[in-house]
Coordinates of all heavy atoms in Angstrom, one line a residue:
V171 N 10.2 12.6 287.7 CA 9.5 12.5 286.4 C 8.6 13.5 286.3 O 7.7 13.8 287.2 CB 8.9 11.1 286.4 CG1 8.1 10.9 285.1 CG2 9.8 9.9 286.5
T172 N 8.5 14.1 285.1 CA 7.5 15.1 284.9 C 6.1 14.4 284.5 O 6.0 13.8 283.5 CB 7.8 16.0 283.7 OG1 9.1 16.6 284.0 CG2 6.8 17.1 283.3
L173 N 5.1 14.6 285.4 CA 3.9 14.0 285.3 C 3.0 14.7 284.4 O 2.2 15.7 284.7 CB 3.2 13.7 286.7 CG 2.0 12.9 286.7 CD1 2.3 11.4 286.2 CD2 1.3 12.9 287.9
T174 N 3.0 14.4 283.0 CA 2.2 15.0 282.1 C 1.2 14.0 281.5 O 1.4 12.7 281.8 CB 3.0 15.4 280.9 OG1 3.7 14.4 280.1 CG2 4.2 16.4 281.3
G175 N 0.1 14.5 281.0 CA -1.0 13.6 280.3 C -0.3 12.7 279.3 O -0.7 11.4 279.4
A176 N 0.5 13.2 278.6 CA 1.2 12.4 277.4 C 1.9 11.2 278.1 O 2.0 10.1 277.5 CB 1.9 13.2 276.6
A177 N 2.8 11.7 279.1 CA 3.6 10.6 279.6 C 2.8 9.6 280.3 O 3.2 8.4 280.1 CB 4.6 11.4 280.6
L178 N 1.8 9.8 281.0 CA 1.0 9.0 281.7 C 0.3 8.0 280.6 O 0.3 6.7 280.9 CB 0.0 9.6 282.5 CG -0.9 8.6 283.4 CD1 -0.1 7.7 284.3 CD2 -1.9 9.4 284.2
R179 N -0.2 8.6 279.6 CA -0.8 7.7 278.5 C 0.1 6.9 277.9 O -0.1 5.7 277.6 CB -1.5 8.7 277.4 CG -2.9 9.3 278.0 CD -3.5 10.0 276.9 NE -2.8 11.0 276.4 CZ -2.8 12.3 276.8 NH1 -3.8 12.6 277.8 NH2 -2.3 13.2 276.2
A180 N 1.5 7.3 277.6 CA 2.5 6.5 277.1 C 2.8 5.3 278.0 O 3.0 4.1 277.5 CB 3.7 7.3 276.9
L181 N 2.9 5.4 279.3 CA 3.1 4.3 280.3 C 2.0 3.4 280.3 O 2.2 2.1 280.1 CB 3.4 5.0 281.5 CG 3.5 3.9 282.8 CD1 4.6 3.1 282.5 CD2 3.5 4.6 284.1
I182 N 0.7 3.9 280.3 CA -0.4 3.0 280.3 C -0.5 2.3 279.0 O -0.9 1.1 279.0 CB -1.8 3.9 280.6 CG1 -1.7 4.3 282.0 CG2 -3.0 3.2 280.2 CD1 -2.8 5.2 282.4
A183 N -0.2 2.8 277.9 CA -0.3 2.1 276.7 C 0.7 0.9 276.5 O 0.4 -0.1 276.0 CB 0.0 3.1 275.4
R184 N 1.8 1.1 277.4 CA 2.8 0.0 277.4 C 2.4 -1.1 278.4 O 2.5 -2.3 278.2 CB 4.1 0.7 277.9 CG 5.2 -0.4 278.1 CD 6.6 0.2 278.3 NE 6.8 1.1 279.5 CZ 7.0 0.6 280.7 NH1 7.2 -0.8 280.8 NH2 7.0 1.4 281.7
V185 N 1.7 -0.5 279.6 CA 1.3 -1.6 280.5 C -0.1 -2.3 280.2 O -0.2 -3.6 280.5 CB 1.2 -0.9 281.8 CG1 0.5 -1.7 282.9 CG2 2.4 -0.4 282.4
A186 N -1.0 -1.8 279.4 CA -2.3 -2.1 279.2 C -2.4 -3.5 278.5 O -3.2 -4.4 278.9 CB -3.0 -1.2 278.3
P187 N -1.4 -4.0 277.6 CA -1.7 -5.2 276.9 C -1.5 -6.3 278.0 O -2.1 -7.3 277.9 CB -0.5 -5.2 275.8 CG -0.4 -3.7 275.5 CD -0.5 -3.1 276.8
R188 N -0.5 -6.1 278.8 CA -0.4 -7.2 279.9 C -1.5 -7.3 280.7 O -2.1 -8.3 281.1 CB 1.0 -7.1 280.7 CG 2.2 -7.4 279.9 CD 3.4 -7.4 281.0 NE 4.5 -8.1 280.3 CZ 5.6 -8.5 281.1 NH1 5.7 -8.1 282.3 NH2 6.6 -9.1 280.4
L189 N -1.8 -6.2 281.2 CA -3.2 -6.1 282.2 C -4.5 -6.5 281.5 O -5.3 -7.2 282.0 CB -3.3 -4.8 282.7 CG -4.6 -4.5 283.8 CD1 -4.1 -5.5 284.9 CD2 -4.6 -3.2 284.1
A190 N -4.4 -6.4 280.2 CA -5.6 -6.8 279.5 C -5.8 -8.3 279.5 O -6.8 -8.9 279.5 CB -5.7 -6.3 278.0
A191 N -4.5 -9.0 279.3 CA -4.6 -10.4 279.3 C -5.0 -11.0 280.6 O -5.7 -11.9 280.8 CB -3.2 -11.0 278.9
V192 N -4.5 -10.3 281.8 CA -5.0 -10.6 283.1 C -6.4 -10.5 283.3 O -7.1 -11.5 283.7 CB -4.2 -9.9 284.1 CG1 -4.7 -10.2 285.6 CG2 -2.6 -10.2 284.0
L193 N -6.9 -9.3 282.9 CA -8.4 -9.1 283.2 C -9.2 -10.0 282.3 O -10.4 -10.2 282.5 CB -8.6 -7.6 282.8 CG -7.9 -6.7 283.8 CD1 -8.2 -5.2 283.5 CD2 -8.4 -6.9 285.4
G194 N -8.8 -10.3 281.0 CA -9.5 -11.2 280.1 C -9.8 -12.6 280.8 O -10.8 -13.1 280.7
Q195 N -8.7 -13.0 281.6 CA -8.8 -14.4 282.2 C -9.7 -14.1 283.4 O -10.7 -15.0 283.7 CB -7.4 -14.8 282.7 CG -6.6 -15.1 281.6 CD -5.0 -15.0 282.1 OE1 -4.7 -14.3 283.1 NE2 -4.1 -15.6 281.3
K196 N -9.9 -13.1 284.0 CA -10.8 -12.8 285.1 C -12.2 -12.7 284.6 O -13.2 -13.3 285.1 CB -10.4 -11.4 285.9 CG -11.6 -10.8 286.7 CD -11.0 -9.5 287.2 CE -12.2 -8.5 287.5 NZ -13.2 -8.9 288.4
L197 N -12.5 -12.1 283.6 CA -13.7 -12.0 282.9 C -14.2 -13.2 282.4 O -15.4 -13.7 282.6 CB -13.8 -11.0 281.8 CG -13.4 -9.5 282.1 CD1 -13.3 -8.7 280.8 CD2 -14.6 -8.9 283.0
A198 N -13.4 -14.1 281.8 CA -13.8 -15.4 281.4 C -14.2 -16.3 282.6 O -15.2 -17.0 282.5 CB -12.5 -16.0 280.7
A199 N -13.5 -16.2 283.7 CA -13.9 -17.0 284.8 C -15.2 -16.5 285.3 O -16.0 -17.3 285.8 CB -12.8 -16.8 286.0
Q200 N -15.4 -15.1 285.4 CA -16.6 -14.6 286.0 C -17.9 -15.1 284.9 O -19.0 -14.9 285.4 CB -16.6 -13.1 286.0 CG -15.7 -12.6 287.3 CD -15.7 -11.2 287.4 OE1 -15.0 -10.6 286.5 NE2 -16.3 -10.6 288.3
S201 N -17.7 -15.3 283.7 CA -18.8 -15.6 282.9 C -19.2 -17.1 282.8 O -20.0 -17.4 282.0 CB -18.3 -15.2 281.4 OG -17.3 -16.0 280.9
V202 N -18.5 -17.9 283.6 CA -18.9 -19.3 283.6 C -20.2 -19.4 284.2 O -20.5 -19.0 285.2 CB -17.8 -20.1 284.5 CG1 -18.3 -21.6 284.7 CG2 -16.5 -20.1 283.9
P203 N -21.2 -20.1 283.6 CA -22.6 -20.2 284.0 C -22.6 -20.7 285.4 O -22.0 -21.8 285.8 CB -23.3 -21.2 283.1 CG -22.5 -21.0 281.9 CD -21.1 -20.8 282.3
L204 N -23.4 -20.2 286.4 CA -23.7 -20.8 287.6 C -22.6 -20.5 288.6 O -22.7 -20.5 289.8 CB -24.1 -22.2 287.7 CG -25.3 -22.6 286.8 CD1 -25.6 -24.0 287.0 CD2 -26.6 -21.7 287.3
L205 N -21.3 -20.3 288.1 CA -20.2 -20.3 289.0 C -19.6 -18.7 288.9 O -18.5 -18.5 289.5 CB -19.0 -21.1 288.6 CG -19.4 -22.6 288.8 CD1 -18.2 -23.5 288.3 CD2 -19.7 -22.9 290.2
G206 N -20.2 -17.9 288.2 CA -19.9 -16.6 287.9 C -19.4 -15.8 289.4 O -18.3 -15.1 289.3
A207 N -20.4 -15.7 290.3 CA -20.1 -15.1 291.4 C -19.0 -15.6 292.3 O -18.1 -15.0 292.8 CB -21.3 -15.2 292.4
A208 N -18.9 -16.9 292.4 CA -17.7 -17.6 293.2 C -16.4 -17.3 292.3 O -15.4 -17.1 293.0 CB -18.0 -19.0 293.2
A209 N -16.5 -17.4 291.0 CA -15.2 -17.2 290.3 C -14.8 -15.8 290.4 O -13.6 -15.4 290.5 CB -15.5 -17.6 288.8
G210 N -15.7 -14.8 290.3 CA -15.4 -13.5 290.4 C -14.7 -13.1 291.7 O -13.7 -12.5 291.8
A211 N -15.3 -13.7 292.9 CA -14.8 -13.5 294.2 C -13.3 -14.1 294.3 O -12.4 -13.5 294.8 CB -15.7 -14.1 295.2
A212 N -13.2 -15.3 293.7 CA -11.8 -16.0 293.8 C -10.8 -15.3 293.1 O -9.7 -15.1 293.5 CB -11.9 -17.3 293.4
T213 N -11.2 -14.8 291.8 CA -10.2 -14.1 290.9 C -9.9 -12.9 291.6 O -8.7 -12.5 291.5 CB -10.6 -14.0 289.5 OG1 -11.9 -13.5 289.4 CG2 -10.7 -15.5 288.8
N214 N -10.7 -12.2 292.0 CA -10.5 -10.8 292.6 C -9.5 -10.9 293.8 O -8.8 -10.2 294.1 CB -11.7 -10.0 292.9 CG -12.3 -9.2 291.7 OD1 -11.9 -9.5 290.6 ND2 -13.1 -8.2 292.2
Y215 N -9.9 -11.8 294.7 CA -9.0 -12.1 295.8 C -7.7 -12.4 295.3 O -6.6 -12.0 295.8 CB -9.6 -13.3 296.6 CG -8.7 -13.6 297.8 CD1 -8.8 -13.0 299.0 CD2 -7.8 -14.6 297.6 CE1 -7.9 -13.3 300.0 CE2 -6.9 -14.8 298.7 CZ -7.1 -14.2 299.9 OH -6.2 -14.6 301.0
A216 N -7.5 -13.4 294.4 CA -6.2 -13.8 293.9 C -5.4 -12.7 293.3 O -4.2 -12.5 293.6 CB -6.3 -14.9 292.9
Y217 N -6.0 -11.9 292.4 CA -5.4 -10.8 291.7 C -4.9 -9.7 292.8 O -3.8 -9.1 292.7 CB -6.2 -10.1 290.7 CG -6.3 -11.0 289.5 CD1 -7.3 -10.9 288.6 CD2 -5.5 -12.1 289.2 CE1 -7.5 -11.8 287.4 CE2 -5.5 -13.0 288.1 CZ -6.6 -12.7 287.3 OH -6.7 -13.6 286.1
T218 N -6.0 -9.3 293.8 CA -5.4 -8.3 294.8 C -4.2 -8.8 295.5 O -3.3 -8.0 295.8 CB -6.6 -8.1 295.7 OG1 -7.8 -7.7 294.9 CG2 -6.4 -7.0 296.6
R219 N -4.2 -10.0 296.0 CA -3.1 -10.6 296.7 C -1.9 -10.5 295.9 O -0.9 -10.1 296.4 CB -3.4 -12.0 297.1 CG -2.2 -12.7 297.9 CD -2.6 -14.0 298.3 NE -1.5 -14.8 298.8 CZ -1.5 -15.9 299.4 NH1 -2.7 -16.7 299.6 NH2 -0.4 -16.5 299.8
Y220 N -1.9 -10.9 294.7 CA -0.9 -10.9 293.7 C -0.3 -9.5 293.6 O 0.9 -9.4 293.7 CB -1.3 -11.4 292.3 CG -0.1 -11.5 291.4 CD1 0.8 -12.5 291.3 CD2 -0.1 -10.4 290.4 CE1 1.8 -12.4 290.4 CE2 1.0 -10.3 289.5 CZ 2.0 -11.4 289.4 OH 3.0 -11.4 288.6
Y221 N -1.1 -8.6 293.1 CA -0.5 -7.2 292.9 C -0.2 -6.5 294.3 O 0.8 -5.7 294.3 CB -1.5 -6.2 292.3 CG -1.6 -6.8 290.8 CD1 -2.8 -7.4 290.2 CD2 -0.6 -6.7 289.9 CE1 -3.0 -7.7 288.9 CE2 -0.6 -7.0 288.5 CZ -1.8 -7.5 288.2 OH -1.8 -7.9 286.8
Q222 N -0.7 -6.9 295.4 CA -0.1 -6.3 296.7 C 1.3 -7.0 296.9 O 2.2 -6.1 297.3 CB -1.1 -6.7 297.8 CG -2.4 -5.9 297.9 CD -3.2 -6.4 299.0 OE1 -3.3 -7.7 299.3 NE2 -4.0 -5.6 299.5
D223 N 1.5 -8.2 296.6 CA 2.6 -8.8 296.8 C 3.8 -8.1 295.8 O 4.9 -7.9 296.2 CB 2.7 -10.3 296.6 CG 2.0 -11.0 297.9 OD1 2.1 -10.4 298.8 OD2 1.6 -12.2 297.7
M224 N 3.4 -8.0 294.5 CA 4.2 -7.4 293.5 C 4.7 -5.9 293.8 O 5.8 -5.5 293.8 CB 3.6 -7.4 292.2 CG 3.5 -8.8 291.5 SD 5.0 -9.7 291.2 CE 5.2 -10.7 292.8
A225 N 3.7 -5.3 294.4 CA 4.1 -3.9 294.9 C 4.9 -3.9 296.1 O 5.8 -3.1 296.2 CB 2.8 -3.2 295.2
H226 N 4.8 -4.9 297.0 CA 5.6 -5.1 298.1 C 7.0 -5.3 297.5 O 7.9 -4.7 298.2 CB 5.2 -6.3 299.1 CG 6.1 -6.5 300.2 ND1 5.9 -5.8 301.4 CD2 7.3 -7.2 300.3 CE1 6.8 -6.3 302.3 NE2 7.6 -7.1 301.6
V227 N 7.3 -6.1 296.7 CA 8.6 -6.5 296.1 C 9.0 -5.2 295.4 O 10.4 -4.8 295.6 CB 8.5 -7.7 295.1 CG1 9.9 -7.8 294.4 CG2 8.1 -9.0 295.9
H228 N 8.4 -4.6 294.5 CA 8.8 -3.4 293.8 C 9.4 -2.3 294.7 O 10.4 -1.8 294.6 CB 7.7 -2.9 292.9 CG 8.0 -1.8 291.9 ND1 8.2 -2.1 290.6 CD2 8.3 -0.5 292.1 CE1 8.6 -0.9 290.1 NE2 8.6 0.0 291.0
F229 N 8.4 -1.9 295.6 CA 8.9 -0.9 296.5 C 9.8 -1.3 297.6 O 10.6 -0.5 298.1 CB 7.5 -0.2 297.1 CG 6.7 0.6 296.1 CD1 5.5 0.0 295.6 CD2 7.2 1.7 295.5 CE1 4.8 0.7 294.6 CE2 6.4 2.3 294.6 CZ 5.3 1.9 294.1
G230 N 9.9 -2.5 298.0 CA 10.8 -3.0 298.9 C 12.1 -2.9 298.3 O 13.2 -2.5 298.9
L231 N 12.2 -3.3 297.0 CA 13.5 -3.0 296.2 C 14.0 -1.7 296.1 O 15.2 -1.2 296.4 CB 13.5 -3.8 294.9 CG 13.3 -5.2 294.8 CD1 13.1 -5.7 293.3 CD2 14.7 -5.9 295.3
R232 N 13.1 -0.9 295.9 CA 13.5 0.6 295.9 C 13.9 1.2 297.3 O 14.8 1.9 297.4 CB 12.2 1.5 295.4 CG 12.4 3.0 295.3 CD 11.3 3.7 294.9 NE 11.1 3.4 293.3 CZ 10.5 4.4 292.6 NH1 10.0 5.5 293.1 NH2 10.5 4.2 291.4
R233 N 13.1 0.7 298.3 CA 13.6 1.1 299.6 C 14.9 0.5 300.1 O 15.7 1.2 300.6 CB 12.6 0.7 300.6 CG 12.8 0.8 302.1 CD 13.3 2.3 302.5 NE 12.2 3.2 302.1 CZ 12.4 4.6 302.2 NH1 13.5 5.0 302.7 NH2 11.5 5.3 301.8
L234 N 15.3 -0.7 299.6 CA 16.4 -1.3 299.9 C 17.6 -0.6 299.2 O 18.7 -0.3 299.8 CB 16.5 -2.8 299.5 CG 17.7 -3.6 299.7 CD1 18.1 -3.6 301.2 CD2 17.6 -4.9 299.2
A235 N 17.5 -0.1 298.0 CA 18.5 0.6 297.3 C 18.7 1.9 297.9 O 20.0 2.2 298.2 CB 18.0 0.9 295.9

Side-chain angles (χ1 to χ4, degrees):
V171 176
T172 302
L173 187 62
T174 65
L178 182 61
R179 285 192 295 272
L181 174 64
I182 286 175
R184 179 168 64 84
V185 169
R188 280 193 168 190
L189 184 59
V192 171
L193 295 180
Q195 292 157 340
K196 162 182 151 60
L197 291 175
Q200 286 178 292
S201 67
V202 176
L204 303 180
L205 293 177
T213 52
N214 269 25
Y215 175 88
Y217 287 161
T218 304
R219 177 177 171 179
Y220 176 83
Y221 285 116
Q222 285 174 330
D223 284 342
M224 289 299 99
H226 178 91
V227 172
H228 186 105
F229 292 107
L231 289 170
R232 179 179 284 209
R233 171 54 55 188
L234 178 58

